[in-house]
Amino acid sequence: MVRTPGVRARGAAHGRNGTAGPRGRPGHRALVAALTACTGEPGAHGTPRESGTSRARACAKGTFTWSPVTTRDRLTGVSRPERLGEGGGALRNPVRRVCTPVPSVRADGPAPPAAEVLFSLGKVAGETDSEAPALAEAGDTWAFTDPGQRAPALGEGRVTPREAGTYHQYAGVREVSADFRHTCPDGRTVSGRAPTWTADVAGVTGCAERPDTALAREAARHACVPAETDAEPPSPSP
């Protein structure tokens, strides 16, 4: 039986039915991953790639236009498979990182601070509940708008199988991303991209099963190495 992943917004517990209700405001972490490498580039940690004086030239009263928001689950860690006997039990192999997302809002010119970009994205994506025109005027803070948020720790929210089999744990993040255009009152524009994330995901599945989500399938490609290779065999749990 495939265990579907638990999805956790900040402060919510992992579950086994694919969802978990948030405690507190949802989506309260910001993380950006490059589309292919899952790492930041120069100008990471929420700072658009621009010259040292570009920030001063970014207009303060511009408006954002966004492309349709897209979401995807990205694998961040997976464990080696291990065998469990009758009745299942706790999995002990550590979840090892395969991707370390790094915050980065990228723009092709002078842009507002990354936190303001993410605040605008949050309003479009339904993650920042505010009618304020800018974060500086919102009178509140959201981790969604914090470009310095770190990737979630691995190995939290472990799921315990209750049946015999060979299993592996996996972890991931749910990304939210969109392209933006920022237009100043004088007609100047700047374009960029702002990915972030709103939940971390944990799950467990077996190599003999057919995973039912894209994230679980990706984890299986990492963990369930064909027998003809020289990879280490699954480790038995005590």
Side-chain angles (χ1 to χ4, degrees), residues 77-105:
V78 65
S79 71
R80 285 183 54 215
E82 54 191 295
R83 290 189 295 268
L84 297 177
E86 183 177 355
L91 295 173
R92 304 179 186 278
N93 284 347
V95 178
R96 302 188 183 279
R97 190 170 292 281
V98 299
C99 164
T100 303
V102 178
S104 172
V105 173

Side-chain angles (χ1 to χ4, degrees), residues 134-201:
L135 178 62
E137 303 174 38
D140 203 351
T141 59
W142 294 264
F144 186 93
T145 67
D146 181 0
Q149 285 284 354
R150 297 180 181 273
L154 299 177
E156 296 181 348
R158 284 178 171 262
V159 180
T160 301
R162 300 301 181 186
E163 302 171 5
T166 300
Y167 299 94
H168 55 274
Q169 300 260 15
Y170 61 92
V173 294
R174 182 154 297 163
E175 291 184 341
V176 177
S177 62
D179 297 320
F180 68 88
R181 179 184 296 272
H182 184 255
T183 304
C184 297
D186 62 6
R188 289 179 295 143
T189 63
V190 61
S191 298
R193 183 165 182 79
T196 186
W197 64 275
T198 62
D200 57 290
V201 182

Side-chain angles (χ1 to χ4, degrees), residues 8 10 38 43-44 52 66 113 128 133 174 179 192 202 226:
R8 181 178 64 176
R10 186 186 185 193
C38 197
W66 291 91
T128 52
R174 182 154 297 163
D179 297 320

Side-chain angles (χ1 to χ4, degrees), residues 112-124:
E116 290 288 358
V117 177
L118 294 174
F119 175 70
S120 178
L121 173 60
K123 292 203 294 182
V124 173

